[in-house]
Coordinates of all heavy atoms in Angstrom, one line a residue:
I165 N 231.5 30.3 78.6 CA 232.0 30.1 80.0 C 232.0 28.6 80.4 O 233.1 28.2 80.8 CB 231.1 31.0 81.0 CG1 231.3 32.5 80.6 CG2 231.5 30.7 82.4 CD1 230.4 33.4 81.4
I168 N 234.9 26.8 78.5 CA 236.2 27.1 79.0 C 236.4 26.4 80.3 O 237.5 25.9 80.6 CB 236.5 28.6 79.0 CG1 236.4 29.2 77.6 CG2 237.9 28.9 79.6 CD1 236.4 30.7 77.5
N169 N 235.4 26.5 81.2 CA 235.5 25.8 82.5 C 235.8 24.3 82.3 O 236.7 23.7 83.0 CB 234.1 25.8 83.2 CG 234.0 27.0 84.1 OD1 235.0 27.3 84.8 ND2 232.9 27.6 84.2
E170 N 235.2 23.7 81.3 CA 235.4 22.3 81.1 C 236.8 22.0 80.4 O 237.5 21.0 80.8 CB 234.3 21.7 80.2 CG 234.4 20.2 79.9 CD 233.2 19.8 79.0 OE1 232.2 20.5 79.0 OE2 233.4 18.7 78.4
A172 N 239.5 24.2 80.0 CA 240.7 24.9 80.5 C 240.4 25.5 81.8 O 240.2 26.8 81.9 CB 241.1 26.0 79.5
P173 N 240.2 24.7 82.9 CA 239.8 25.2 84.2 C 240.6 26.3 84.8 O 240.1 27.3 85.4 CB 239.7 24.0 85.1 CG 240.4 22.9 84.3 CD 240.4 23.2 82.9
A174 N 242.0 26.2 84.6 CA 242.8 27.3 85.2 C 242.6 28.6 84.4 O 242.6 29.7 85.0 CB 244.3 26.9 85.0
Y175 N 242.4 28.5 83.1 CA 242.1 29.7 82.3 C 240.8 30.3 82.8 O 240.6 31.6 83.0 CB 242.0 29.4 80.8 CG 242.0 30.6 79.9 CD1 243.2 30.9 79.2 CD2 240.9 31.3 79.7 CE1 243.2 31.9 78.3 CE2 240.9 32.4 78.8 CZ 242.1 32.7 78.1 OH 242.1 33.8 77.2
A176 N 239.8 29.5 83.1 CA 238.5 29.9 83.5 C 238.6 30.6 84.9 O 238.0 31.7 85.1 CB 237.5 28.8 83.6
T177 N 239.4 30.0 85.7 CA 239.6 30.6 87.1 C 240.3 32.0 86.9 O 239.9 33.0 87.7 CB 240.5 29.7 87.9 OG1 239.8 28.4 88.0 CG2 240.7 30.3 89.3
E178 N 241.2 32.1 86.0 CA 241.9 33.4 85.8 C 240.9 34.5 85.3 O 241.0 35.6 85.6 CB 243.1 33.2 84.9 CG 244.1 34.4 85.0 CD 245.5 34.0 84.5 OE1 245.9 32.8 84.6 OE2 246.2 34.9 84.1
M179 N 240.0 34.0 84.4 CA 239.0 34.9 83.9 C 238.1 35.4 85.0 O 237.8 36.6 85.1 CB 238.1 34.3 82.8 CG 238.7 34.1 81.5 SD 237.5 33.9 80.1 CE 236.3 32.8 80.8
Q180 N 237.7 34.5 85.9 CA 236.9 34.9 87.0 C 237.6 35.9 87.9 O 237.0 36.8 88.5 CB 236.5 33.6 87.8 CG 235.5 33.9 89.0 CD 234.1 34.3 88.6 OE1 233.4 33.6 87.9 NE2 233.7 35.5 89.0
G181 N 238.9 35.6 88.1 CA 239.7 36.6 88.9 C 239.7 38.0 88.3 O 239.6 39.0 89.0
L190 N 231.5 38.6 84.5 CA 232.2 37.5 83.9 C 231.8 37.4 82.4 O 232.7 37.1 81.6 CB 231.9 36.2 84.6 CG 232.6 35.0 84.1 CD1 234.2 35.1 84.1 CD2 232.2 33.7 84.9

Side-chain angles (χ1 to χ4, degrees):
I165 296 171
I168 297 170
N169 265 320
E170 183 179 336
Y175 194 103
T177 301
E178 199 160 331
M179 284 203 316
Q180 183 68 60
L190 179 60

